[in-house]
Amino acid sequence: MTEYIKHHAWRIIEEGFHPENNKVSESIFSIGNGAMGQRANFEEEYSGNTLQGSYIGGVYYPDKTRVGWWKNGYPEYFAKIINATNWIGVKVRVQDEVFDLNTCQINHFKRELNMQEGTLTRTVTATLPSGKQLTLKAQRFVSLQDTTLGAVSYAVTPLNFNGEITLLPLLDGGVKNADANYNEQFWQTIAKQATTEVSYLHTQTKKTHFDVAVAMRNQLFIENQQVANTPICWEKDEQIGQQFSVLVRQNQTLTLHKYVAVASSFSHPNQPLVPFVQQKVSTFESQGYKKLLKEHTQAWQQKWNESDIKIEGDIAAQQAIRYNIFQLYQTYTGANEQLNIGPKGFTGEKYGGVTYWDTEAYCLPFYMRTSEAHVARNLLKYRYNHLKKAQENAEKLGFNRGAALYPMVTINGEECHNEWEITFEEIHRNGAIAYAIYNYIQYTGDTDYMLDYGLEVLIAISRFWAQRVNWSQAKQKYVLLGVTGPNEYENNVNNNWYTLKLIEWTLRYTLEQLELYKDLKIFDKLCKKTAFNTKKEADKWMHILDNLYLPEDQQKGIFLQQDGFLDKELVPANQLPANERPIHEHWSWDRILRSCYIKQADVLQGLYMFQDEYPPETIKRNFEFYEPLTVHESSLSPCIHSILASAIGLHDKAYEMYLRTARLDLDNLNNDTADGLHITSMGGTWMTIVEGFAGLRISQNMLSFTPNIPAKWKSYNFTIRFRSHILEVTITQTAICIKTNNPQELVLLINGQTEKIDKNNPVEVQLSKQQTVS
């Protein structure tokens, strides 16, 4: 854990430079706009510990899989959103000295991420080895208004000298990935040109042949007055730049405004890229830095109007939830249905920027409740668009008749994960996708999605489930062998309860939907397209449903995570020595697999998804059995535990788990923030407030709230969309108040009682003592 970020409601602030934390800060202060993003690397040269990273959505490279023992069905590559052209660079020379914070004496350092406006600012006062002192103020943003735009304002002031300062803004295509399996270079330069006005760099990925073009223009100011200064055109290897040398007097400020336009063949497939970015960057320069920044901050204000959560009385909690929301929107905006959400977003290389089941389980609820309908729809459409690939993935493993196994890790629909116990066995990801279809439709009421896309996916997933289970003569039940559940600290287990529960639910839900739509004309077309045999397949699925084995221990009143779980030595995690945590860094894998310790919610993940099926006492028994054995070494774990703890009245635990998920990266709780942020768990953080503390559910086709409030909070407030309504919800220590601007009446459930609301009639309901005391 590394606690050095100052608490502030709207800003992330680092005061004082500590090189040992630099890679953590590079992750924390990352910026993005849904189409591209970058780590918070310094603009100038830095010879210290750093991980340079600029990433462009959808542009990937198939890095060759590195395994020691090849198995049938293994993917041949691991797809990666790769480090792309570094466009922020500004080399600085003070007369004959290179400005490098690793070789300077740093007198003052402050790095600040303004979440309200979407800007990254850094101020530095430094003494060079020669004794020359200067101040630096650098600000940059990637525009939310025009996602091809990146801009840098870089200002240098000499404090104790007059002299020549040289600024060299550049574009660097000579980048590589730190995690390249065979140290392979992923890019080749197609064309480059540095001129005194517009410079550009055109690169292309090897193998996948994605083209990326970046164009640059620059403006120079002294004391805020633009100066004419013809640069020297500069080229070296894969870099191009424009070099400006200016005589600057003591206490004069020299400012560079650097504009770039970034476009790829992925996002602009029919566009000649070089002329496009040249025209774009010329327009940006003519508009000027202030105007571009104003448009960008206005776009962010609109996002905050849609999704802000206000917490009164707890600044650490307030900062954390806004940070989580901010990073979610920096990663994904829904503008392009070909894009999805990687666990690290645009903040680091780990997990390759590819899509996991995290999107459907943890991110979809945030977008479908805060954004316009097309945003969440596009997240689901991404999976529909890859259905044929999912069927091919299943066929490679021996399944047939259109069965679909969605990949554990993907960018183009193909499986690209290379650990057998995950790739072949963590098949529960299929269930998360099926559940997401249900979750989306019941919340939005978008039944057209089911007919147009959803049923086809559900049939393919159900076919996979029907083939994946097998009949056990000994148990006289259908069983599920050789799987890995969400708890990856146990591999190749039999009868994982969570996966079996998803099989049961998916088959039942698919059959219900088939029955619901069977009389429509489009149904016959669907059956023909999918070769669905209504009688034969439906009967088989019903037989599985009637005879499916779900392990449980009736004496303890719990569902068994899998067969044999109670054979383990059950020692609570709080008895583990602190110097052995996290266990994945200190124990052998053999010891972990034989232990009782759970990486993340497994049985509890299922109980979270299907809370309405189980009485509170059942959920509580399972929670009190499994939570003490859970080490929460997955970022996806604390949020689920927080939501369930709220539901069963364990308010102290709910708040503890909320802070753990909300400040996971800000406080580097898992000691891995240097690798990049945990973007998908940030969706879970939002859920802990809206689904956990506020108790939001859909019940009887109505929006339902069973709210509580942490004792430390005076109030919390959030805005959500529900079908045609935008609702503002405020929960205090005494009441819940809900308002809408829609004149149409909406019926809600609050604490199980119906309430009617419209534009002129807000609802206010008093909270009981149990709901206001943690």
Side-chain angles (χ1 to χ4, degrees):
M1 184 168 73
T2 311
E3 293 183 272
Y4 63 95
I5 300 300
K6 306 297 181 186
H7 290 181
H8 188 287
W10 277 108
R11 301 187 180 193
I12 308 301
I13 301 169
E14 175 188 10
E15 292 181 341
F17 184 53
H18 302 282
E20 68 276 10
N21 294 335
N22 188 51
K23 287 173 71 173
V24 174
S25 290
E26 287 178 342
S27 296
I28 289 175
F29 289 84
S30 296
I31 57 175
N33 62 10
M36 63 177 176
Q38 61 190 198
R39 291 171 62 81
N41 308 116
F42 299 150
E43 289 85 0
E44 71 278 358
E45 295 173 270
Y46 180 66
S47 58
N49 192 21
T50 183
L51 174 62
Q52 192 279 320
S54 293
Y55 311 98
I56 299 171
V59 175
Y60 72 94
Y61 182 86
D63 196 12
K64 185 170 175 56
T65 299
R66 192 164 191 160
V67 293
W69 179 22
W70 198 267
K71 299 178 180 66
N72 288 337
Y74 263 177
E76 295 185 0
Y77 67 89
F78 187 91
K80 293 174 178 176
I81 299 290
I82 53 177
N83 191 15
T85 295
N86 177 15
W87 57 261
I88 65 171
V90 181
K91 291 178 180 283
V92 182
R93 293 185 70 88
V94 180
Q95 294 176 336
D96 293 327
E97 289 183 278
V98 174
F99 178 49
D100 176 352
L101 291 187
N102 195 46
T103 62
C104 293
Q105 175 185 321
I106 299 175
N107 310 111
H108 164 82
F109 181 95
K110 184 177 182 180
R111 186 162 19 191
E112 183 171 295
L113 186 64
N114 185 324
M115 298 182 288
Q116 197 166 16
E117 298 181 355
T119 58
L120 172 61
T121 303
R122 179 169 53 105
T123 56
V124 179
T125 302
T127 303
L128 279 66
S130 66
K132 294 182 178 69
Q133 289 187 340
L134 57 79
T135 63
L136 161 69
K137 182 174 181 181
Q139 182 186 72
R140 71 176 185 256
F141 65 93
V142 288
S143 177
L144 208 60
Q145 177 65 26
D146 186 329
T147 55
T148 65
L149 166 64
V152 179
S153 175
Y154 196 88
V156 180
T157 307
L159 298 181
N160 64 351
F161 67 96
N162 302 324
E164 184 179 72
I165 295 178
T166 299
L167 301 180
L168 174 56
L170 54 84
L171 304 176
D172 183 3
V175 295
K176 58 184 180 180
N177 269 52
D179 70 344
N181 278 339
Y182 293 91
N183 297 314
E184 188 174 355
Q185 186 77 17
F186 298 155
W187 294 95
Q188 56 190 348
T189 298
I190 302 301
K192 62 181 178 178
Q193 185 178 43
T195 75
T196 57
E197 294 188 356
V198 180
S199 300
Y200 73 86
L201 181 64
H202 177 191
T203 57
Q204 186 183 79
T205 59
K206 299 177 181 178
K207 295 184 181 179
T208 46
H209 300 116
F210 287 107
D211 289 280
V212 172
V214 184
M216 170 181 68
R217 292 192 75 123
N218 299 286
Q219 294 173 327
L220 212 60
F221 302 82
I222 293 181
E223 294 296 294
N224 297 318
Q225 295 296 314
Q226 187 169 356
V227 295
N229 188 303
T230 301
I232 297 173
C233 298
W234 184 90
E235 294 188 22
K236 181 181 178 182
D237 299 327
E238 310 305 318
Q239 300 177 341
I240 60 167
Q242 298 170 327
Q243 181 173 299
F244 300 88
S245 296
V246 184
L247 288 172
V248 185
R249 296 195 307 271
Q250 183 176 343
N251 295 322
Q252 267 192 335
T253 299
L254 173 65
T255 302
L256 171 76
H257 286 171
K258 179 180 182 180
Y259 309 94
V260 299
V262 182
S264 72
S265 55
F266 176 86
S267 56
H268 299 83
N270 301 312
Q271 189 81 50
L273 293 182
V274 171
F276 175 70
V277 294
Q278 287 176 317
Q279 184 274 326
K280 273 281 190 181
V281 80
S282 296
T283 301
F284 297 151
E285 184 194 33
S286 67
Q287 292 175 311
Y289 188 86
K290 287 184 179 179
K291 183 176 186 295
L292 296 170
L293 177 58
K294 182 179 180 181
E295 291 174 348
H296 168 68
T297 57
Q298 287 172 341
W300 264 113
Q301 188 56 57
Q302 180 59 39
K303 291 295 183 190
W304 288 118
N305 290 342
E306 295 173 351
S307 61
D308 189 22
I309 293 182
K310 304 179 184 72
I311 297 172
E312 187 181 10
D314 189 343
I315 193 69
Q318 176 65 89
Q319 180 187 46
I321 189 58
R322 280 184 174 143
Y323 182 70
N324 283 250
I325 294 169
F326 179 71
Q327 291 295 351
L328 282 163
Y329 275 125
Q330 289 203 131
T331 303
Y332 182 81
T333 62
N336 188 338
E337 70 178 35
Q338 297 181 80
L339 291 175
N340 208 275
I341 300 167
K344 297 292 183 183
F346 298 119
T347 72
E349 297 181 7
K350 192 173 183 182
Y351 304 124
V354 290
T355 297
Y356 284 63
W357 66 287
D358 308 16
T359 290
E360 285 74 26
Y362 297 89
C363 297
L364 179 71
F366 168 76
Y367 289 102
M368 76 181 183
R369 291 171 183 153
T370 62
S371 302
E372 294 180 358
H374 74 275
V375 175
R377 204 176 208 263
N378 280 349
L379 276 178
L380 286 183
K381 187 83 181 299
Y382 179 88
R383 294 297 192 177
Y384 175 79
N385 291 340
H386 289 165
L387 175 58
K388 289 190 184 303
K389 289 288 188 182
Q391 292 167 324
E392 290 172 10
N393 291 336
E395 191 172 345
K396 289 175 183 176
L397 300 184
F399 299 90
N400 55 43
R401 295 198 67 252
L405 175 60
Y406 278 92
M408 186 64 185
V409 172
T410 192
I411 195 165
N412 63 2
E414 293 181 328
E415 178 64 75
C416 61
H417 196 286
N418 60 6
E419 296 176 28
W420 68 270
E421 65 272 23
I422 306 298
T423 304
F424 301 156
E425 299 195 339
E426 206 163 328
I427 57 176
H428 64 80
R429 72 251 194 182
N430 252 13
I433 292 165
Y435 183 83
I437 295 170
Y438 156 78
N439 200 13
Y440 167 78
I441 292 172
Q442 75 149 354
Y443 191 85
T444 64
D446 181 8
T447 54
D448 287 345
Y449 187 87
M450 180 62 78
L451 290 169
D452 294 339
Y453 311 112
L455 259 176
E456 194 174 342
V457 172
L458 289 172
I459 289 170
I461 290 174
S462 294
R463 283 172 166 166
F464 176 83
W465 288 144
Q467 295 177 44
R468 185 59 172 80
V469 297
N470 63 274
W471 180 257
S472 165
Q473 193 65 33
K475 286 185 168 64
Q476 289 293 294
K477 293 281 187 181
Y478 285 97
V479 296
L480 184 67
L481 307 179
V483 296
T484 299
N487 173 29
E488 293 170 341
Y489 284 176
E490 291 187 284
N491 304 146
N492 198 28
V493 301
N494 292 334
N495 297 314
N496 173 256
W497 182 88
Y498 171 69
T499 311
L500 283 160
K501 179 63 187 176
L502 285 174
I503 292 173
E504 177 195 56
W505 178 87
T506 305
L507 291 175
R508 193 178 306 282
Y509 181 60
T510 306
L511 288 170
E512 289 172 355
Q513 296 305 301
L514 290 168
E515 179 68 22
L516 182 63
Y517 295 111
K518 67 179 182 180
D519 295 327
L520 299 181
K521 288 184 179 179
I522 195 173
F523 184 80
D524 292 335
K525 292 182 180 179
L526 177 69
C527 290
K528 185 176 181 180
K529 182 179 181 181
T530 61
F532 180 72
N533 185 315
T534 305
K535 176 66 175 171
K536 185 176 180 181
E537 290 194 78
D539 285 353
K540 171 68 172 178
W541 296 355
M542 279 304 305
H543 192 261
I544 293 171
L545 281 170
D546 290 341
N547 296 279
L548 191 64
Y549 171 69
L550 284 99
E552 61 180 301
D553 185 277
Q554 294 184 348
Q555 184 177 355
K556 292 182 180 295
I558 62 168
F559 303 116
L560 282 182
Q561 187 168 279
Q562 70 269 337
D563 283 350
F565 185 81
L566 293 181
D567 293 334
K568 294 173 177 283
E569 184 180 5
L570 303 177
V571 179
N574 63 12
Q575 295 185 26
L576 284 169
N579 62 1
E580 295 184 17
R581 303 283 295 270
I583 61 174
H584 71 265
E585 292 183 3
H586 296 90
W587 286 14
S588 69
W589 196 242
D590 170 72
R591 185 180 179 188
I592 289 173
L593 293 177
R594 290 184 288 106
S595 79
C596 67
Y597 298 118
I598 300 170
K599 181 181 179 183
Q600 69 187 79
D602 196 302
V603 168
L604 298 185
Q605 182 80 30
L607 292 175
Y608 154 72
M609 293 167 70
F610 305 109
Q611 288 177 67
D612 291 346
E613 295 185 24
Y614 302 101
E617 54 270 23
T618 298
I619 297 173
K620 188 173 184 180
R621 277 196 306 272
N622 281 274
F623 187 94
E624 291 179 339
F625 177 78
Y626 284 110
E627 197 283 328
L629 303 176
T630 304
V631 289
H632 301 293
E633 290 176 11
S634 164
S635 65
L636 302 176
S637 188
C639 59
I640 297 301
H641 287 80
S642 178
I643 294 167
L644 287 178
S646 285
I648 58 179
L650 301 177
H651 300 303
D652 285 342
K653 177 60 73 172
Y655 180 72
E656 172 199 337
M657 290 289 106
Y658 163 76
L659 278 185
R660 182 163 181 164
T661 185
R663 299 197 64 85
L664 179 69
D665 287 309
L666 289 176
D667 296 336
N668 194 18
L669 294 178
N670 282 0
N671 196 32
D672 60 359
T673 301
D675 296 332
L677 304 176
H678 298 83
I679 301 298
T680 50
S681 80
M682 292 175 173
T685 299
W686 184 88
M687 287 156 48
T688 62
I689 293 180
V690 176
E691 296 184 13
F693 299 145
L696 182 147
R697 302 283 185 278
I698 300 296
S699 181
Q700 304 168 54
N701 204 33
M702 290 183 284
L703 199 61
S704 171
F705 296 89
T706 52
N708 67 79
I709 180 170
K712 191 174 182 179
W713 297 4
K714 294 179 181 178
S715 69
Y716 60 104
N717 167 284
F718 58 87
T719 299
I720 56 169
R721 295 173 182 263
F722 179 64
R723 300 178 185 177
S724 62
H725 286 259
I726 297 177
L727 303 173
E728 181 185 355
V729 181
T730 303
I731 299 169
T732 69
Q733 288 288 342
T734 58
I736 176 173
C737 178
I738 305 177
K739 301 176 183 178
T740 180
N741 285 327
N742 195 323
Q744 183 180 354
E745 184 178 84
L746 177 68
V747 181
L748 304 171
L749 283 174
I750 301 180
N751 292 329
Q753 301 298 311
T754 57
E755 303 284 348
K756 296 178 180 180
I757 183 176
D758 60 42
K759 181 177 180 179
N760 300 314
N761 296 289
V763 167
E764 184 168 335
V765 175
Q766 299 301 302
L767 301 187
S768 67
K769 185 176 181 181
Q770 289 84 354
Q771 292 172 300
T772 62
V773 176
S774 70

